[in-house]
Amino acid sequence: MSALICLGEPLCELNAQPDGSFRAGFGGDVSNVAIAAARQGVDVGLISRVGDDPFGRDLCQLWQREGVSTDHVEVVPGQETGIYFVFHDAEGHHFVYRRKGSAASEMTTDILPDAAIAKARMFYSSGIGLGVSSSLRDATFQAVGIARKNNVAVAFDPNLRTALWSLEQARSVTHNLMQCCDIALPGLDDARQLTGLHSPEDIIAFYHNLGAKIVALTLGADGVSVSDGADVVTIPGTQMQAKDATGAGDCFNGLFLANYLRDGDILNAAKIANSGAALSTTGYGAVDPIPFNHTL
């Protein structure tokens, strides 16, 4: 059984290059987290659906290469796998999605592998899964319930996408789920919108008050603030010549959870994840630049 089991929507990526071409790759925040954790040597499984199309088949081959279990990934004939484009400018990277009606968006509670969730050490999902569709939202809540019932730790990144749903609905639903969360992994910009708060200290306190025992608040290029409820430690950012920050937050989450599962040391996990996430910005795409354990 997997130590870490993740639920969400995988996507294929087309990333704009400086010469005007597009570089094919892979994404989907939960898939990125699963791969990042697997590259740290953790046993990881994925719960999802893909279309029986070239994109879905490529994703399945990717997970097999990366050592991510696909025992609970359903390949669905007649349905499509979502894709997204990444564009870059002076303000950073921007996404354009083509995911409506994707196989993963039509995931229901019926396909949840209750036993696999119950036997894992940790369950992970994100706010994108809550916003993609009502059926995937229901599946996520039910999976969290299974995890809680079986004393499986729940880790969650609110990962706000206002293109998927309104800020008001995102706030309500996300805060509701995060009352069942053991490890909160918000990014600063998302958390400011979702909480209405500004300072990292206030945001960390907000998520602890919702119920999280551990909060790791990523600060972009400024690093990460991590808290166990007693102390807040801020780890400065690692300076890199960044090319593409696509998936850097997912990389952080996967590395943090993998190293926390290894020894329970949140500060060490945050230091490794902080360095690894910075390193992941030096290449293009969400997956290819994710570091392996031996490179950190």
Side-chain angles (χ1 to χ4, degrees):
M1 288 294 176
S2 302
L4 173 65
I5 194 156
C6 307
L7 183 151
E9 181 189 32
L11 299 164
C12 279
E13 176 186 272
L14 293 168
N15 197 306
Q17 302 297 287
D19 64 2
S21 65
F22 284 87
R23 184 178 184 277
F26 304 97
D29 64 333
V30 170
S31 174
N32 298 340
V33 169
I35 291 169
R39 289 188 180 185
Q40 294 294 295
V42 171
D43 289 332
V44 185
L46 187 63
I47 305 167
S48 195
R49 301 169 93 236
V50 296
D52 187 11
D53 56 20
F55 296 123
R57 290 189 286 273
D58 284 350
L59 280 162
C60 289
Q61 291 173 10
L62 167 73
W63 296 321
Q64 289 164 7
R65 290 195 303 271
E66 296 288 346
V68 174
S69 171
T70 58
D71 289 350
H72 307 296
V73 174
E74 183 181 4
V75 179
V76 188
Q79 291 194 321
E80 297 180 343
T81 307
I83 64 172
Y84 70 105
F85 299 81
V86 187
F87 297 92
H88 308 273
D89 60 24
E91 297 180 359
H93 60 279
H94 309 276
F95 300 115
V96 175
Y97 294 95
R98 294 293 181 267
R99 71 196 324 167
K100 186 176 181 180
S102 71
S105 73
E106 297 187 7
M107 189 185 310
T108 64
T109 58
D110 297 340
I111 75 160
L112 291 177
D114 294 21
I117 297 170
K119 292 179 181 178
R121 292 177 59 197
M122 184 176 292
F123 172 83
Y124 176 84
S125 192
S126 84
I128 290 181
L130 299 182
V132 164
S133 68
S134 59
S135 62
L136 182 51
R137 185 182 315 145
D138 291 344
T140 303
F141 270 90
Q142 183 159 315
V144 168
I146 295 166
R148 297 279 289 182
K149 181 180 178 180
N150 290 278
N151 297 314
V152 175
V154 174
F156 187 81
D157 180 347
N159 217 350
L160 177 66
R161 294 289 186 273
T162 52
L164 294 174
W165 53 351
S166 71
L167 178 57
E168 292 73 19
Q169 186 182 17
R171 280 175 173 161
S172 174
V173 175
T174 301
H175 294 345
N176 186 17
L177 185 138
M178 294 188 78
Q179 293 179 49
C180 303
C181 174
D182 299 289
I183 301 175
L185 298 164
L188 182 60
D189 291 341
D190 289 350
R192 282 174 169 165
Q193 293 187 72
L194 286 165
T195 67
L197 302 171
H198 184 78
S199 78
E201 294 78 12
D202 288 345
I203 290 168
I204 287 169
F206 177 91
Y207 285 113
H208 277 310
N209 288 336
L210 278 182
K213 300 177 182 68
I214 295 168
V215 180
L217 176 67
T218 50
L219 310 173
D222 293 327
V224 59
S225 289
V226 62
S227 171
D228 61 1
D231 298 298
V232 178
V233 177
T234 298
I235 301 166
T238 303
Q239 298 304 310
M240 294 284 181
Q241 286 293 110
K243 295 179 180 178
D244 179 13
T246 303
D250 304 330
C251 177
F252 176 92
N253 292 350
L255 269 59
F256 179 83
L257 296 177
N259 284 280
Y260 176 72
L261 282 168
R262 182 173 292 122
D263 60 20
D265 185 335
I266 66 168
L267 188 57
N268 182 60
K271 289 177 179 177
I272 292 171
N274 187 52
S275 297
L279 187 61
S280 76
T281 69
T282 61
Y284 284 100
V287 170
D288 285 352
I290 294 173
F292 289 84
N293 190 31
H294 64 268
T295 63
L296 294 172

